[in-house]
């Protein structure tokens, strides 16, 4: 409901967005950092989740709530700045296509159909890896490549300060192998940022503009989730800009 209040022109949140939001905002409930087999990602903190949604508004811009599609063989990246006062966290979730049933007991063979990967690249180039449960009886969580879950959470904080040092970080989404159906919708949530530096891949889904040229009324259509916040500019036949609006969508 709060998401619809903040973004009245968007469609409803994807199920994957809800999962990513709950995971990134959960309060730790286990004995150590990260997920565990007793508490999952922890205890839901609805207030913190609502604050992340609120802070994703362009006027605040301290978090990101992104719903995108990763094409086969592509990489999605955004760069963000931190001021050294928070922990930098990112959560990636997606609804994986249906796979085949595994009949074996206690199988540790991954069964993801589309295996997406999330990384935080530090200013020095080092990668921060996602949390993943070990495939042994201890079920402890470590930071390593996760090839079994359709949700990944990466957090970076310095060992001494327990905060992410000030600087520019890259949030990167990639995939292994070949994506079934040629693409995979995903949800990405980032918290603890100062500002977005750049988005290296951006597309407007099902964008249609007509008529062109236009005399009085121009119609713009697109999937609202992808066009929200877009800057709209209109030019006359001589190339002169006659209109601009950052808040149209």
């Amino acid at each position: 409901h709060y998401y619809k209040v903040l973004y009245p022109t968007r469609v409803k949140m994807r199920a994957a967005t809800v999962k990513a939001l709950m995971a990134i905002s959960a309060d730790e409930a286990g004995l150590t950092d990260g997920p565990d087999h007793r508490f999952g990602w922890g205890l839901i903190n609805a207030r913190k989740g609502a604050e992340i949604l609120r802070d994703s508004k362009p006027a605040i811009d301290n978090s990101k709530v992104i719903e995108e599609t990763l094409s086969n063989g592509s990489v999605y990246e955004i760069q963000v700045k931190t001021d050294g006062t928070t922990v930098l966290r990112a959560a990636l979730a997606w609804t994986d296509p249906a796979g085949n049933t595994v009949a074996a007991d206690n199988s540790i063979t991954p069964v993801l159909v589309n295996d997406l990967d999330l990384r935080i690249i530090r200013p020095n180039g080092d990668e921060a890896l996602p949390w993943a449960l070990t495939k042994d009886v201890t079920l402890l969580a470590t930071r390593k490549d996760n090839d079994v879950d359709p949700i990944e959470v990466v957090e970076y904080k310095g060992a001494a300060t327990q905060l992410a040092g000030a600087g520019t970080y890259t949030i990167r989404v990639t995939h292994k192998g070949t994506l079934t159906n040629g693409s995979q919708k995903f949800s990405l949530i980032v918290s603890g940022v100062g500002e977005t530096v750049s988005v290296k891949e951006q597309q407007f889904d099902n964008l249609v503009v007509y008529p062109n040229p236009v005399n009085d009324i121009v119609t713009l259509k697109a999937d609202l989730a992808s066009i929200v916040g877009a800057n709209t500019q209109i030019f006359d036949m001589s190339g002169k800009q006659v209109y601009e609006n950052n808040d149209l969508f």
Side-chain angles (χ1 to χ4, degrees), residues 18-27 41-42 44 89 91 151-153:
V18 179
K19 289 189 289 186
L21 181 62
M22 288 191 293
I24 200 173
S25 61
D27 291 333
W41 291 104
I44 292 175
R89 292 186 175 91
I151 180 171
E152 296 192 1
V153 177

Side-chain angles (χ1 to χ4, degrees), residues 34-116:
D36 60 66
H37 66 290
R38 295 183 61 195
F39 297 103
W41 291 104
L43 300 177
I44 292 175
N45 186 328
R47 175 174 179 169
K48 187 176 180 181
E51 290 172 345
I52 289 175
L53 292 178
R54 177 202 63 195
D55 292 348
S56 70
K57 294 287 287 184
I60 303 177
D61 205 27
N62 292 136
S63 65
K64 308 294 172 188
V65 179
I66 299 168
E67 295 181 332
E68 267 293 350
T69 300
L70 189 68
S71 301
N72 193 47
S74 67
V75 176
Y76 181 89
E77 288 186 350
I78 63 171
Q79 290 183 317
V80 299
K81 283 186 176 180
T82 61
D83 59 10
T85 63
T86 62
V87 177
L88 181 61
R89 292 186 175 91
L92 170 72
W94 66 99
T95 301
D96 201 43
N100 298 320
T101 301
V102 176
D105 293 337
N106 299 321
S107 173
I108 62 171
T109 301
V111 295
L112 281 177
V113 176
N114 289 336
D115 186 357
L116 273 55

